[in-house]
Every structure is written in structure tokens, then in C-alpha cells.
Amino acid sequence: MVVDRYGWMDAREFEDANAACNLLPGPASTQLSIFCAYRVAGPAGVIVGGLGFVVPAVLLVLALSLLFLSSSPPLWVRGAGAGAGAAVAAVAVQAARGLLGPSFDRVREDRARTAAWLAYLLAGIAAAALIGPYLVLVLLGCGLLELVRRHRPAGPFGFHWVAFAALAPAVSSGGIAALAWTAVKVGALSFAAGS
């Protein structure tokens, strides 16, 4: 709707915003809705869109917590909670399935990019299956590796620390590179604080 029906942004910008929001800690849907509200109405849109997205959920969670935390919640409430918990994995798989096709279409013309794409995909799947909560570290590592891979200096020695210097212009120019770099920093900080 944001791209096709309303034309608030083009498809590439929406994909970049979606990817950046998924990298940042916290609820990606909230962050993406606030970004879309910003595109429509600027700073005022951020406030109205953010409150419009967050307040109903907060009220619903408060009402449900009163029901769940009562001395004896009804059986239907406990069943609904168990069913919702089981549905989370299915929702994540469905979302990933929808992103795989367009993502692969971008890289399939270049063998090196296709190989990197497959390596990142397999690393993400293996991390999700084997290390669970530390999946974010693998995803951040894949993102950082891709930034370095795209900006590594040419030469016989391959990757070395000078490659990080190539990131500075991309990060300072803004766009998705700046968002990716911010996500790496925030992810590292949030992981360090949680461990």
C-alpha cells in the first residue's frame, strides 16, 4: 500500500527502510510505520503515526495482562496464548518467504553476489536453528562482511584493515549505508549490555 497505492516512496526506498528496521533492535513494524509517517507528514507525522501505532497496542496489552495475570485465567485465554506463541514461527517463515524471491532476483546475474547471498542465507538459517538468541550477531556479521566486501581495496592481499576506511564515505553520505552502520553499532551495544 505504501508503495503501490499511495506512492509515499518508491519500492527500493521501502525495501531499504524495511531492511534497516529489521536490523535495529526493537519492533521493526513500529519503526517502519514511524518512518512511513515521517515520509507523509515530516516530524508531526512521526508523533501522530507513532502514537497511532503504539497506543492501541499498549492499551490492548494492558487489558490482556489484567486478564492473563488474574488469579485463574479462563481456559480459552490460556489456549489463545499458546496458539499465538506457536504462530510466531509461522509468521516469521512467511515473511522470509516473501522476501526471498525479490532479494534473489537482484543478485542472480552475478555469480559472486549469488554465492555471497547463498552463504548469508545458509548462515542465517544455521544460526536460527543452532544458536537462537545470538542470531542477531550472525546477521550483523553478515551485514558488516557485505559492506567490507563491497568496499575492499583491489589488490593481491585481499581483505585487510584498510577496507574499513572505505566505509567512511558511504556512511557519511547517508542512505542505507549509514543506516546499516548505525544498526551494527546499536546491535553491538545492545548485545554487550545484555551479556
Side-chain angles (χ1 to χ4, degrees):
M1 287 180 63
V2 170
V3 174
D4 296 332
R5 186 180 297 178
Y6 298 116
W8 292 339
M9 63 188 82
D10 62 29
R12 175 65 188 237
E13 186 178 11
F14 183 79
E15 289 173 2
D16 289 345
N18 186 31
C21 289
N22 282 318
L23 283 174
L24 295 171
S29 58
T30 304
Q31 295 162 351
L32 188 59
S33 69
I34 290 172
F35 177 76
C36 291
Y38 173 76
R39 292 286 301 172
V40 172
V46 168
I47 294 169
V48 173
L51 289 175
F53 194 86
V54 172
V55 170
V58 168
L59 294 176
L60 185 60
V61 166
L62 287 174
L64 286 173
S65 62
L66 286 173
L67 187 61
F68 275 102
L69 298 176
S70 66
S71 59
S72 60
L75 187 59
W76 68 270
V77 170
R78 288 185 275 164
V88 169
V91 169
V93 167
Q94 179 65 20
R97 202 179 106 216
L99 293 173
L100 280 177
S103 174
F104 183 72
D105 288 343
R106 284 187 166 171
V107 300
R108 71 175 161 189
E109 300 298 323
D110 182 0
R111 289 181 74 168
R113 288 181 70 196
T114 301
W117 183 88
L118 286 171
Y120 299 147
L121 177 66
L122 292 174
I125 290 170
L130 299 173
I131 59 175
Y134 298 104
L135 167 66
V136 69
L137 293 178
V138 173
L139 297 179
L140 288 173
C142 288
L144 185 59
L145 182 63
E146 180 63 16
L147 283 174
V148 170
R149 191 178 74 79
R150 287 186 185 192
H151 298 287
R152 77 173 163 224
F157 300 108
F159 171 75
H160 51 82
W161 69 271
V162 178
F164 285 106
L167 293 175
V171 171
S172 64
S173 68
I176 193 63
L179 288 173
W181 184 247
T182 302
V184 167
K185 291 190 302 184
V186 170
L189 290 173
S190 65
F191 176 74
S195 56

